């Protein structure tokens, strides 16, 4: 923003314009001046700008510029919902879902937010429909995609290419791939074989948002396999659908940074040559209905409450990258372990979700069990990090072998032996 434009916006905001006050607060968000942003969002909200209440709630929830305060965030979202902002209703439902409220109690609010035009709610509602009603799911995703939702556009390109939810149509696949790529889709490289740059769809959808239906969650799971003959290591194929894998990759791609390990004495992140991937961990507020639904499904296989799960950690390995032999349990002999274990508990179970096929390499190797698990899109690997008495299991030593050809994505979920809350 130029100095002149900023001065004009400031004058309008000081003159009492709620829209200008909101835009000025957004400017301060971009500058990471969260205290000033909060003050101007507050003035805009008190002057009748409904979305400003939601932005105040998000600042409180994420702890930007101050410590997180979920109770205050909830009050702001309630004010936003009362003022007619679908973001407020959506965030209230999402907060309840994170706390473990059953889907049937929160999905009505998700549905109402989607019917009110909230693009994120429409995208998530569409994905939740795909397993049981792919035609409806694809239609709902198109509503979000027409609002320029990047992930919805990327998923639509894949659905049209694969013929999920209706006949395959390469022209529509190319068109949505073009839109997704323009918005920074990470998965755009997967669309290159589609070729061309067809005319992107117009800004309308045949589906009426006001009549969107409630999703019915799929409960059938594929049978487990025990490749070692040991029930402490379990594999499921096709546990995650292709669109769920791409959803996780698209959500994580903007957050990726070079991976690190934790210093055993200080607890600080450090670069380590044993780990050469790119990675990120979702902030709890990054986990939406789709991601939380995947987490619930995976956690259910451990017989531990989902509240024991850490946020998802995503890793991307390129050719030559690896993670050498290591354990996932918190080593009680390390300097920070006492505080870590007291506060969050032990990492009892590890769950790997493989998000891509890998042309060559990238297997997970259990060094002391002499077993390798190859990455396949949708495959899930679960293993125990502790013995039945709670002691670390030295046999859980494992490595991510170097990728030889292609690219490997993995979503890791660690289950603690107590409730995990940052």
């Amino acid at each position: 923003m130029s100095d002149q434009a900023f001065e004009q916006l400031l004058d309008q905001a000081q003159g009492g314009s709620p829209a200008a006050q909101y835009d000025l607060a957004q400017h301060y968000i971009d500058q990471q001046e969260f205290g000033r942003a909060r003050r101007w969002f507050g003035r805009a909200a008190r002057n009748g700008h409904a979305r400003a209440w939601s932005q105040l709630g998000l600042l409180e929830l994420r702890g930007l510029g101050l410590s997180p305060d979920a109770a205050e965030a909830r009050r702001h979202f309630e004010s936003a919902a009362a003022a007619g902002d679908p973001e407020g209703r959506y965030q209230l439902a999402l907060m309840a879902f994170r706390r473990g409220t059953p889907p049937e109690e929160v999905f009505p609010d998700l549905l109402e937010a989607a019917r009110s035009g909230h693009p994120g709610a429409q995208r998530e509602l569409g994905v939740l429909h795909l397993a049981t009603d792919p035609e409806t799911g694809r239609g709902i995703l198109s509503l979000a995609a027409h609002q320029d939702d990047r992930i919805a556009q990327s998923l639509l390109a894949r659905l049209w290419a694969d013929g999920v939810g209706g006949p395959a149509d390469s022209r529509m696949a190319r068109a949505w791939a073009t839109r997704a790529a323009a918005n920074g889709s990470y998965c755009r490289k997967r669309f290159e074989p589609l070729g061309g740059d067809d005319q992107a769809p117009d800004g309308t959808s045949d589906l009426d948002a006001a009549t969107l239906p409630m999703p019915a969650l799929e409960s059938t799971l594929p049978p487990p396999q025990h490749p070692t003959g040991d029930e402490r290591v379990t594999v499921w194929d096709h546990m995650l659908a292709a669109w769920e894998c791409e959803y996780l990759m698209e959500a994580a791609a903007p957050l990726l940074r070079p991976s690190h390990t934790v210093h055993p004495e200080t607890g600080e992140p450090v670069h380590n040559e044993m780990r050469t991937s790119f990675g990120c961990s979702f902030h709890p507020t990054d986990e939406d209905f789709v991601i939380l639904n995947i987490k619930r499904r995976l956690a259910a296989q451990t017989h531990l409450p989902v509240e024991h799960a850490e946020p998802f950690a995503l890793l991307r390995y390129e050719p030559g990258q690896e993670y050498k032999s290591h354990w996932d349990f918190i080593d009680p002999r390390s300097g920070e372990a006492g505080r870590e274990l007291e506060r969050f508990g032990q990492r009892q179970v590890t769950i790997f979700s493989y998000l891509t096929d890998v042309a060559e390499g990238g297997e997970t190797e259990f060094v002391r069990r002499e077993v390798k698990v190859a990455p396949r899109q949708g495959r899930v690997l679960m293993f125990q990090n502790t013995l039945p008495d709670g002691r670390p299991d030295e046999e859980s030593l494992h490595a991510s072998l170097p990728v030889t050809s292609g690219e490997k994505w993995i979503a890791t979920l660690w289950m603690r032996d107590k409730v995990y809350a940052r």
Side-chain angles (χ1 to χ4, degrees):
M1 181 184 297
S2 68
D3 291 344
Q4 182 179 3
F6 174 78
E7 291 298 331
Q8 290 176 344
L9 181 62
L10 180 61
D11 286 344
Q12 293 170 358
Q14 291 175 334
S17 166
Q21 291 166 348
Y22 182 89
D23 290 343
L24 183 61
Q26 289 283 28
H27 168 76
Y28 284 127
I29 289 286
D30 294 338
Q31 301 300 312
Q32 296 190 347
E33 297 185 44
F34 301 117
R36 290 182 174 180
R38 183 175 292 102
R39 288 194 293 273
W40 283 108
F41 278 137
R43 292 179 67 172
R46 290 188 293 273
N47 286 328
H49 198 296
R51 179 55 57 88
W53 285 116
S54 290
Q55 295 289 19
L56 284 170
L58 290 169
L59 287 172
E60 296 283 355
L61 197 60
R62 289 182 173 270
L64 295 175
L66 78 175
S67 298
D69 188 335
E72 187 66 14
R74 190 176 300 109
R75 286 190 285 271
H76 289 320
F77 292 141
E78 288 170 348
S79 296
D85 179 32
E87 179 72 27
R89 188 162 199 165
Y90 166 82
Q91 290 293 342
L92 286 171
L94 192 51
M95 288 182 73
F97 202 43
R98 290 190 188 112
R99 293 195 306 272
T101 304
E104 60 271 17
E105 296 183 27
V106 295
F107 279 4
D109 284 328
L110 171 65
L111 179 62
E112 188 57 38
R115 288 175 173 173
S116 299
H118 189 287
Q122 291 174 345
R123 178 223 311 149
E124 294 160 46
L125 185 69
V127 174
L128 292 173
H129 270 284
L130 286 174
T132 56
D133 187 355
E135 182 177 3
T136 297
R138 191 166 80 174
I140 299 173
L141 278 170
S142 72
L143 292 173
H146 283 301
Q147 294 196 64
D148 239 17
D149 186 284
R150 169 181 56 85
I151 299 180
Q153 292 169 345
S154 177
L155 292 178
L156 274 180
R158 177 55 55 211
L159 297 176
W160 279 105
D162 294 344
V164 176
D169 188 323
S170 60
R171 185 192 67 82
M172 287 295 290
R174 288 194 299 269
W176 281 118
T178 299
R179 289 276 289 271
N183 281 328
S185 163
Y186 177 79
C187 295
R188 62 187 179 275
K189 63 179 67 176
R190 307 186 196 287
F191 307 140
E192 291 172 0
L194 300 176
D197 274 337
D198 278 34
Q199 178 69 37
D202 62 26
T204 62
S205 173
D206 294 334
L207 195 64
D208 182 2
T211 63
L212 297 181
M214 186 78 72
L217 295 182
E218 178 62 59
S219 58
T220 302
L221 295 174
Q225 307 159 23
H226 301 289
T228 64
D230 182 348
E231 292 190 358
R232 298 175 63 76
V233 178
T234 308
V235 174
W236 292 266
D237 282 330
H238 311 296
M239 174 72 88
L240 270 62
W243 57 79
E244 291 177 310
C245 295
E246 296 213 357
Y247 194 102
L248 287 168
M249 289 188 286
E250 285 285 7
L255 308 175
L256 292 178
R257 299 292 183 272
S259 298
H260 62 263
T261 58
V262 176
H263 192 283
E265 297 302 324
T266 67
E268 295 296 318
V270 293
H271 176 69
N272 191 320
E273 289 300 327
M274 70 179 291
R275 190 179 195 187
T276 55
S277 58
F278 294 87
C280 71
S281 290
F282 287 144
H283 187 279
T285 58
D286 293 326
E287 294 188 329
D288 59 25
F289 281 96
V290 173
I291 297 172
L292 288 169
N293 184 52
I294 296 171
K295 177 185 279 189
R296 284 186 170 216
R297 190 190 323 152
L298 296 175
Q301 310 316 306
T302 70
H303 306 293
L304 291 169
V306 70
E307 292 81 12
H308 287 222
E310 295 185 31
F312 271 112
L314 279 288
L315 293 172
R316 185 191 76 201
Y317 295 86
E318 296 175 345
Q321 293 185 329
E322 64 179 323
Y323 193 176
K324 296 180 180 178
S325 297
H326 62 283
W327 292 284
D328 282 359
F329 56 71
I330 308 301
D331 188 346
R333 298 167 296 185
S334 67
E336 284 291 300
R339 286 187 291 273
E340 171 84 2
L341 293 172
E342 181 180 357
R343 186 177 180 190
F344 301 124
Q346 181 60 270
R347 281 177 169 169
Q348 185 173 337
V349 181
T350 293
I351 306 173
F352 290 156
S353 298
Y354 300 102
L355 306 183
T356 54
D357 291 332
V358 179
E360 186 177 357
E363 298 92 345
T364 301
E365 179 181 34
F366 289 89
V367 181
R368 298 183 177 178
R369 289 189 167 104
E370 298 184 352
V371 88
K372 294 180 183 178
V373 178
R376 296 287 183 270
Q377 187 177 66
R379 174 175 285 177
V380 168
L381 164 66
M382 182 178 77
F383 58 93
Q384 304 289 324
N385 296 310
T386 59
L387 299 168
D389 63 5
R391 290 181 296 120
D393 182 3
E394 302 281 342
E395 296 297 308
S396 67
L397 185 70
H398 61 284
S400 179
L401 299 182
V403 171
T404 305
S405 176
E407 184 179 71
K408 172 186 173 182
W409 276 79
I410 189 170
T412 302
L413 189 66
W414 285 297
M415 301 295 296
R416 301 276 183 150
D417 60 9
K418 62 169 63 175
V419 173
Y420 182 87
R422 286 288 185 187

